[in-house]
Amino acid sequence: MERVKNMVIVLMEQRDLAKKRCDDLNLELKIITEKLATTQKDKQTLSAKIKLLESEMEAARDENEKMKTENCDLEYDVEKMERERVSQQNELSYVEREVNQREQKFTKLEKELQ
């Protein structure tokens, strides 16, 4: 009988230890579950941030392409204006030569008339 009593005591102690271990495991499971939920929320937040950044990068690329096009247009306009300036400078030089030639002719005619 004593032996059975001791076995019952040992089994009850083992049951208490098993119950405590089960409680510890349940607590650990709860903590892990909460961490998982937090991690999943963090993942969703990061995914949203990544999508936003990708969208911003795409917009920046589009703006960059637009600016490249505008830059090319402006460079073309500058080249066109430079050609026009050179053309007008050449025309001015031609007109100045004509004026000088006519002034010389006028001066020559004036001298002949005197």
Side-chain angles (χ1 to χ4, degrees):
M1 189 70 164
E2 189 64 32
R3 193 169 157 225
V4 171
K5 198 176 189 185
N6 285 338
M7 283 180 72
V8 168
I9 291 172
V10 168
L11 287 174
M12 287 175 67
E13 287 174 354
Q14 286 179 346
R15 182 195 68 190
D16 290 344
L17 287 174
K19 186 176 178 186
K20 184 172 180 346
R21 178 68 180 144
C22 185
D23 289 344
D24 290 347
L25 288 173
N26 281 333
L27 181 60
E28 192 175 333
L29 178 61
K30 182 179 176 185
I31 291 169
I32 290 171
T33 302
E34 289 173 359
K35 284 182 181 179
L36 178 61
T38 301
T39 301
Q40 287 173 337
K41 286 179 186 176
D42 290 347
K43 181 182 174 187
Q44 290 173 345
T45 301
L46 289 174
S47 291
K49 285 181 181 179
I50 288 170
K51 286 181 182 179
L52 179 63
L53 287 172
E54 287 173 344
S55 175
E56 289 175 359
M57 283 175 54
E58 187 63 33
R61 278 190 209 105
D62 291 345
E63 184 66 20
N64 188 31
E65 284 301 315
K66 179 181 171 188
M67 291 178 87
K68 282 181 182 177
T69 301
E70 288 176 5
N71 189 36
C72 287
D73 291 346
L74 290 172
E75 286 176 358
Y76 174 78
D77 289 346
V78 166
E79 289 172 3
K80 183 178 173 185
M81 292 171 107
E82 179 63 19
R83 287 191 301 272
E84 182 65 26
R85 186 194 67 76
V86 168
S87 174
Q88 288 182 0
Q89 184 66 41
N90 289 339
E91 188 175 333
L92 176 62
S93 295
Y94 173 77
V95 169
E96 286 175 340
R97 281 193 307 273
E98 283 289 312
V99 167
N100 284 339
Q101 287 177 0
R102 288 180 186 192
E103 282 179 343
Q104 287 174 358
K105 282 183 183 180
F106 180 75
T107 304
K108 184 179 177 182
L109 286 174
E110 234 181 9
K111 284 182 182 181
E112 285 179 9
L113 285 175
Q114 290 178 357

